[in-house]
Amino acid sequence: MENKFDSEKVIEEFESITKNAKKVQAETLKKILKENCEAEYLKKWNLDGKFDPQTYTSSVPVVTHKDLLPYIQRIADGANYPVLTGKPITTITLSSGTTQGKPKFVPYNDELTETTMQIYRTSFAFRNRAFPIGNGKALSFIFGSKQFTTKGGLLAGTATTNVYRSSQFKKTMRAIQTPCCSPDEVIFAPDFHQSLYCHLLCGLIYHEDIQVISSTFAHSIVHSFRIFELVWEELCSDIRKGVLSARVTVPSIRTAMARVLTPNPELADKIYNKCLGLVEWNRLIPEMFPNCKYIYGIMTGSMEPYLKKLRHYAGEVPLLSGDYGSSEGWIGANVNPNLPPEMTTFAVLPDIGYFEFLPLTEVDLDGPIESKPVGLTDVQIGEEYEVVVTNFAGLYRYRLGDVVKVIGFHNATPELQFVCRRNLMLTINIDKNTEKDLQLSVEAAAKLLATEKLEVLDFTSHIDLSSEPGHYVIFWEVSGEASDAVLKECCNCLDKSFVDAGYVSSRKVNAIGPLELRVLKRGTFQKILDHYVAQGSALNQFKTPRCVSPANQTVLQILCSNVVKSYVSTTFG
Ligand code: AMP
């Protein structure tokens, strides 16, 4: 028998560790250092058996991924001695590679699976208290990424793949009453298009059992329902005949789906008629999944632009934003699920890693550090910091590259809001526009597009320095044919919506050239997604890169070769 999930007990434990956050942090650090003190990297810093925060932070430097890469590479190449951790690392995580254009290698071990389960249980306990669910299933748009072996024989895949493959994951999902409605063969299929189709089919077959719809990041939920709009008739036909569409060719998926798919003309008619009755797919989710209690996934940061569409599909079904983490490990749980996604905060779990916070200064991600990081319980409300992580899998004082803002405290642990990736910044000279600034500017301009009943499906940006002066390029994929007049207006609006003083003054004196809006062929972002998945990412971890640097050649090339129209701003001219 599975252990019954006890929300109150989980919440009690969370309250206790967060009340003693400072002490728990010191104990967590001690545990990490004790377990790993034989590692070559830690020996180098002569901790001399002293595992307290003071000795640690004065002996071990703050580093970036670049600094640790030679060590990680040696692990991946099969080093048979403790390099970063006491116990050997047997698995490598591939980060999604959104920022740099190619996935980063990050060490992974069982402790990270454990902390993942802890954060899942914690936020679920709070969610379940506010939004109780019954026994049933989850329609989870989750996908195993491609896995490969490194030169040294280590398995490498995305963090979520490592988690989904673990036995603890299934155990936890069963305990929190939401096993995935799709068979494993669908989750781990070698082709995510086929996998997605079958997730949708399973969701419909079990439509009355679905309690929750989820994914890691909200993008994949929106993407999945956009696909639903295209394939619903085929899905209905499969259900009617009990035969899986020929589009699914992977034998293992076909065999697994044959076990759940039986002819059901009644259900097919029901779904077909419901689809016909929907106006522009509004309230698709409550219509198809009448018992769905909420939609769950990360909806903050670069996911915010998808909220509008998600709300359109969700109707009255609440949107609950997920936790905050990365391939390098989890950081905080959303323990206030009642807050709208835009206001989500993350309470840092003080026993899943040792956390420091680097006050923001004017330096680049790779630049020298001018300020000293402060400890978890020493952060100031209202201030912004870059997160620095020490985890159980060989990362020591590692700059994550994310900017967070301290909103308050839950007991003694800070509640953070995600602000942006630190180096995803549009800058030519004295201007500085973050991912968030870009999002706001796109939102403002998209309102003009709405007058033609069109929407921005996705967007990204690029700094074009190929001619003098350099200028911002914004790429848009639009849901239909917009008129030239409105796109021209959108372009002007984008330009004037960047209100950063550095940008405005540079534009006025033409030190930055007119902003350019380039409209993309339909399906361009799908090509970008395909590219990332081919590199080893997974659909559920995909984040559209919001600023594409020249280093990200392939994506830039996909963008530039799919431009159908372009407009130049006349705002300052
Ligand atoms: P990856 O490890 O490649 O899957 O990406 C991890 C990154 O995703 C983090 O460093 C953040 O930039 C972003 N991220 C993760 N969780 C959240 C969240 N809850 N809100 C906003 N951004 C997030």
Side-chain angles (χ1 to χ4, degrees):
M1 260 303 272
E2 260 335 303
N3 288 340
K4 184 134 174 39
F5 186 78
D6 185 346
S7 290
E8 291 314 313
K9 187 160 166 251
V10 173
I11 291 175
E12 225 172 83
E13 276 164 20
F14 173 77
E15 296 299 348
S16 157
I17 55 166
T18 52
K19 273 182 193 143
N20 299 304
K22 191 171 178 134
K23 190 164 149 247
V24 173
Q25 275 283 270
E27 286 166 2
T28 306
L29 178 65
K30 188 169 168 192
K31 195 165 162 219
I32 293 174
L33 297 179
K34 230 172 158 175
E35 267 177 27
N36 300 306
C37 60
E38 288 308 314
E40 174 198 348
Y41 183 77
L42 279 183
K43 278 188 158 170
K44 188 168 139 181
W45 306 111
N46 301 318
L47 291 171
D48 267 345
K50 293 200 211 87
F51 301 143
D52 60 290
Q54 167 65 26
T55 311
Y56 178 62
T57 55
S58 55
S59 315
V60 177
V62 174
V63 293
T64 63
H65 185 266
K66 211 156 90 191
D67 300 313
L68 292 187
L69 188 57
Y71 296 88
I72 299 174
Q73 196 59 55
R74 265 190 281 144
I75 294 171
D77 291 347
N80 61 356
Y81 55 92
V83 180
L84 286 169
T85 49
K87 269 189 275 166
I89 293 286
T90 53
T91 311
I92 293 282
T93 283
L94 288 177
S95 77
S96 60
T98 311
T99 316
Q100 311 297 340
K102 52 178 195 294
K104 280 186 302 200
F105 272 17
V106 182
Y108 186 86
N109 62 12
D110 289 344
E111 272 98 334
L112 290 191
T113 309
E114 239 343 285
T115 54
T116 304
M117 293 311 119
Q118 186 185 342
I119 206 145
Y120 280 11
R121 283 192 300 266
T122 306
S123 57
F124 177 76
F126 283 92
R127 254 190 339 274
N128 204 36
R129 191 156 77 172
F131 300 89
I133 53 170
N135 267 326
K137 293 183 190 295
L139 170 54
S140 300
F141 295 106
I142 56 177
F143 305 83
S145 65
K146 280 206 291 206
Q147 280 189 308
F148 67 94
T149 40
T150 66
K151 191 172 144 199
L154 277 72
L155 213 53
T158 57
T160 46
T161 306
N162 296 336
V163 169
Y164 303 150
R165 287 198 180 275
S166 71
S167 56
Q168 289 105 304
F169 175 69
K170 278 223 172 103
K171 210 169 125 204
T172 306
M173 288 301 124
R174 271 200 303 269
I176 64 178
Q177 302 160 303
T178 47
C180 180
C181 68
S182 311
D184 274 5
E185 290 82 350
V186 168
I187 300 172
F188 298 110
D191 178 307
F192 82 91
H193 301 281
Q194 297 185 26
S195 176
L196 169 51
Y197 182 85
C198 292
H199 274 313
L200 290 169
L201 192 52
C202 291
L204 293 179
I205 293 169
Y206 295 110
H207 73 298
E208 285 185 342
D209 298 323
I210 302 297
Q211 294 283 314
V212 176
I213 293 179
S214 70
S215 186
T216 320
F217 287 96
H219 166 271
S220 37
I221 306 179
V222 171
H223 180 80
S224 302
F225 286 111
R226 283 195 200 279
I227 299 292
F228 181 95
E229 289 186 25
L230 303 175
V231 300
W232 65 280
E233 284 172 295
E234 205 173 324
L235 291 166
C236 288
S237 151
D238 288 8
I239 295 173
R240 177 165 289 112
K241 292 191 242 140
V243 179
L244 187 59
S245 154
R247 73 162 66 222
V248 181
T249 54
V250 177
S252 59
I253 316 186
R254 292 199 70 87
T255 311
M257 288 302 293
R259 289 195 290 268
V260 289
L261 189 61
T262 47
N264 192 340
E266 233 173 89
L267 177 61
D269 285 343
K270 182 173 156 192
I271 294 166
Y272 193 90
N273 290 330
K274 273 181 188 286
C275 286
L276 283 186
L278 289 172
V279 179
E280 291 176 354
W281 302 100
N282 191 16
R283 296 188 60 261
L284 165 64
I285 291 174
E287 282 300 324
M288 295 301 140
F289 310 101
N291 298 313
C292 178
K293 303 290 185 303
Y294 55 81
I295 298 160
Y296 181 68
I298 293 172
M299 297 171 190
T300 37
S302 63
M303 295 297 129
E304 265 186 40
Y306 307 113
L307 278 171
K308 191 162 175 251
K309 191 69 181 175
L310 197 51
R311 288 195 167 108
H312 179 81
Y313 288 136
E316 65 280 13
V317 180
L319 303 186
L320 273 53
S321 194
D323 303 319
Y324 170 36
S326 67
S327 303
E328 289 86 347
W330 288 94
I331 294 140
N334 175 5
V335 298
N336 300 307
N338 282 307
L339 290 177
E342 289 86 348
M343 293 175 68
T344 304
T345 58
F346 310 101
V348 181
L349 266 65
D351 61 342
I352 61 175
Y354 182 74
F355 300 101
E356 295 171 82
F357 295 84
L358 196 55
L360 282 200
T361 56
E362 296 297 305
V363 293
D364 289 339
L365 178 66
D366 295 325
I369 303 168
E370 283 167 2
S371 51
K372 254 176 72 128
V374 297
L376 177 73
T377 51
D378 301 320
V379 292
Q380 301 292 317
I381 294 178
E383 292 299 311
E384 293 190 355
Y385 300 90
E386 182 185 338
V387 182
V388 177
V389 176
T390 296
N391 73 4
F392 282 94
L395 302 181
Y396 306 98
R397 310 196 79 204
Y398 172 101
R399 293 175 67 179
L400 199 57
D402 285 342
V403 177
V404 294
K405 183 172 182 174
V406 180
I407 296 298
F409 281 85
H410 183 102
N411 296 320
T413 202
E415 289 200 327
L416 312 174
Q417 219 158 46
F418 182 87
V419 178
C420 59
R421 293 287 299 166
R422 187 162 184 168
N423 61 354
L424 272 180
M425 195 175 270
L426 285 162
T427 176
I428 291 177
N429 50 45
I430 54 165
D431 53 313
K432 276 193 173 43
N433 281 300
T434 64
E435 188 179 351
K436 184 81 198 175
D437 300 318
L438 171 65
Q439 182 196 323
L440 293 175
S441 173
V442 169
E443 274 171 13
K447 286 198 183 117
L448 302 171
L449 206 57
T451 57
E452 298 201 339
K453 288 204 169 342
L454 294 171
E455 56 180 323
V456 178
L457 294 175
D458 220 334
F459 63 93
T460 188
S461 66
H462 171 63
I463 294 290
D464 187 342
L465 299 174
S466 63
S467 56
E468 277 284 324
H471 67 280
Y472 290 12
V473 179
I474 312 293
F475 294 94
W476 270 11
E477 187 173 324
V478 179
S479 58
E481 277 280 316
S483 68
D484 278 337
V486 85
L487 286 167
K488 180 107 202 88
E489 248 188 277
C490 290
C491 178
N492 286 337
C493 179
L494 283 166
D495 203 6
K496 66 168 181 268
S497 299
F498 286 106
V499 289
D500 157 62
Y503 184 74
V504 176
S505 58
S506 304
R507 281 287 292 115
K508 280 186 180 154
V509 297
N510 205 32
I512 295 180
L515 180 145
E516 195 185 341
L517 169 62
R518 295 189 194 162
V519 180
L520 299 164
K521 222 184 266 168
R522 276 298 288 275
T524 305
F525 281 96
Q526 172 74 50
K527 287 186 190 154
I528 294 175
L529 169 62
D530 288 341
H531 159 70
Y532 276 98
V533 171
Q535 276 197 124
S537 185
L539 174 56
N540 54 284
Q541 254 181 279
F542 177 73
K543 297 172 266 317
T544 298
R546 295 290 178 215
C547 180
V548 180
S549 71
N552 201 345
Q553 260 302 320
T554 318
V555 172
L556 200 53
Q557 162 120 42
I558 296 173
L559 289 166
C560 293
S561 58
N562 282 284
V563 175
V564 284
K565 282 178 183 174
S566 87
Y567 301 85
V568 175
S569 160
T570 49
T571 293
F572 295 88

